[in-house]
Structures are given as structure tokens and as C-alpha cells.
């Protein structure tokens, strides 16, 4: 009778070895393909610098440069180009008698360092030493006023005329000064009057003034 115990034992040992190798292989395979969840990371937070939100407004390059506001207001105030009282010198030229008339040029000279303009009739009033007006305001002679441009140092003139009192028989007074007011201004320029008596009332007492024109007189 044949002995069968050794082949059975060998077969059993081979089977056990195969099972052991399978178990090791299974363990190795499981560790290399592990799908265990990773720890959840906390969400990233970003701190925003308040200045960054307004970046362009707070950077030096975006800061507006200061403007010459006062200078612009002063210029805007003088854009009309009109000569102001404080920029003019007034004087009365020599008498030009003729045909029973006495004629004087009232001269306005630009004493400022800018070019300005005058247009129309100057105001004129004879006053005594205390500043009281003598006679009525002069009458404007018919004319066509034009704009006169005065560069620094240049002049414009208007004619002041009245009938000679010795001929007209008008009531007279001797003024201390003539107040000359540039066109569209309120402040007068006081000019000493040295030409004697003027008519202030009665017949033929009107004093006339003409519109300004370039120059210093005829």
C-alpha cells in the first residue's frame, strides 16, 4: 500500500505559503491606494488695507496740485479790461479859446502796468474848497463813443467846454477843483482847477463834455 501522507503535507504547505503571499500582497496594495480623507484646511483669509481700496486717491501722484484760486478770482474780476480809477491819472490841459467858448481837454493817462480800456463819457463836477458842487452836472455833447485801448503810459481825452462868462453874462464861481470820474467807475479823481471862474447858473450856464478819444487833446 502506497504512502500518501508526504504529498498531502507538501500540498498543504504550498497552499499555506500561497495564502501568506496573497495576504502580504493585499496589505501592500491597500496601503498604496489609501483613500483616507485628508484633514480639512481652514479657509484663507485676506486682510484688506483700507488705503488700498482708494489707492489712486491716496497716492501722491493722484493728489491734485493746489491751484491759484485767489489769482484766478482776481483775474476773473478784471476780465472786462476796463481801466479802474486807481489805474488812471487825470489832468486838465490848457484852455483853447475860440468863438466865445472856453475849451479844455480832460486827459486820462494809464499809470498801471497793464493795458486797459475806457469807453464813453467821463464824469465831471466843479467843487469848492470844502467839496461842495458848483453848478449842475455837465451836459453830454452828442457823439459816437468808441472803446479806447490804453497801453501803460497812454492817454485818452474828452473835451470840457462852456461859453465865456464875460460874453454870456452867466453867474459864475471859481472852483477849487474839478472831480473827474472815469467811465463806469464810481470814485472820482480830484484835479486842482487853476483856470478861473466858470458858469454855475443863469443864462448860458451849461457846461458840456464830449466822449473820450485817443490822445491828449487837439
Amino acid at each position: 500500500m502506497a504512502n500518501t501522507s508526504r504529498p498531502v503535507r507538501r500540498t498543504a504547505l504550498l497552499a499555506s505559503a500561497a495564502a501568506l503571499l496573497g495576504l502580504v500582497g493585499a496589505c501592500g496594495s491597500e496601503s498604496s491606494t489609501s483613500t483616507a480623507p485628508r484633514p480639512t484646511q481652514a479657509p484663507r483669509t485676506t486682510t484688506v488695507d483700507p488705503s488700498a481700496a482708494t489707492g489712486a486717491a491716496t497716492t501722491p501722484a493722484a493728489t491734485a496740485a493746489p491751484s491759484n484760486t485767489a489769482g484766478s478770482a482776481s483775474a476773473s474780476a478784471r476780465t472786462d479790461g476796463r481801466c479802474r480809477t486807481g489805474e488812471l491819472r487825470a489832468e486838465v490841459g490848457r484852455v483853447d479859446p475860440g468863438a466865445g467858448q472856453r475849451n479844455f481837454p480832460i486827459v486820462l493817462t494809464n499809470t498801471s502796468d497793464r493795458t486797459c480800456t475806457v469807453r464813453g463819457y467821463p464824469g465831471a463836477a466843479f467843487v469848492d474848497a470844502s467839496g461842495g458842487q458848483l453848478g449842475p452836472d455837465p451836459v453830454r455833447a452828442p457823439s459816437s463813443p468808441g472803446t479806447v485801448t490804453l497801453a501803460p503810459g497812454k492817454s485818452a481825452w474828452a473835451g470840457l467846454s462852456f461859453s465865456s462868462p464875460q460874453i454870456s453874462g452867466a453867474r459864475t464861481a471859481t472852483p477849487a477843483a474839478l472831480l473827474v470820474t472815469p467811465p463806469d467807475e464810481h470814485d472820482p479823481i480830484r484835479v486842482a482847477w487853476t483856470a478861473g471862474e466858470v458858469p454855475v447858473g443863469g443864462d448860458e450856464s451849461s457846461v458840456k463834455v464830449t466822449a473820450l478819444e485817443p490822445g491828449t487833446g487837439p
Side-chain angles (χ1 to χ4, degrees):
M1 182 173 178
N3 186 5
T4 60
S5 60
R6 181 174 293 175
V8 172
R9 181 180 297 174
R10 181 177 293 177
T11 300
L13 289 174
L14 291 174
S16 297
L20 181 59
L21 290 173
L23 180 61
V24 172
C27 290
S29 174
E30 182 177 354
S31 62
S32 63
T33 58
S34 175
T35 58
R38 297 180 179 179
T40 303
Q41 294 182 352
R44 179 181 297 179
T45 59
T46 303
T47 302
V48 178
D49 184 352
S51 64
T54 57
T58 57
T59 59
T63 302
S67 60
N68 296 326
T69 305
S72 299
S74 179
S76 176
R78 295 169 63 162
T79 52
D80 61 353
R82 188 173 77 243
C83 297
R84 310 294 181 173
T85 296
E87 298 174 311
L88 297 169
R89 180 181 69 248
E91 53 191 329
V92 177
R94 291 185 301 177
V95 62
D96 178 23
Q101 291 287 111
R102 303 190 73 189
N103 308 296
F104 301 85
I106 298 175
V107 181
L108 294 176
T109 302
N110 181 7
T111 60
S112 74
D113 58 359
R114 74 176 182 110
T115 297
C116 58
T117 61
V118 290
R119 179 185 176 87
Y121 298 83
F126 292 111
V127 296
D128 59 22
S130 62
Q133 183 168 337
L134 300 173
D137 290 337
V139 176
R140 293 181 174 182
S143 61
S144 300
T147 299
V148 181
T149 300
L150 299 180
K154 296 301 182 179
S155 303
W157 73 282
L160 179 75
S161 63
F162 51 85
S163 297
S164 175
Q166 289 81 7
I167 297 175
S168 69
R171 181 166 53 86
T172 65
T174 301
L178 177 69
L179 300 184
V180 179
T181 305
D184 300 314
E185 291 292 292
H186 298 288
D187 298 325
I189 305 169
R190 184 183 177 94
V191 182
W193 181 261
T194 60
E197 60 184 4
V198 300
V200 294
D203 295 338
E204 299 295 329
S205 62
S206 293
V207 178
K208 294 184 174 74
V209 65
T210 65
L212 288 161
E213 55 186 287
T216 57

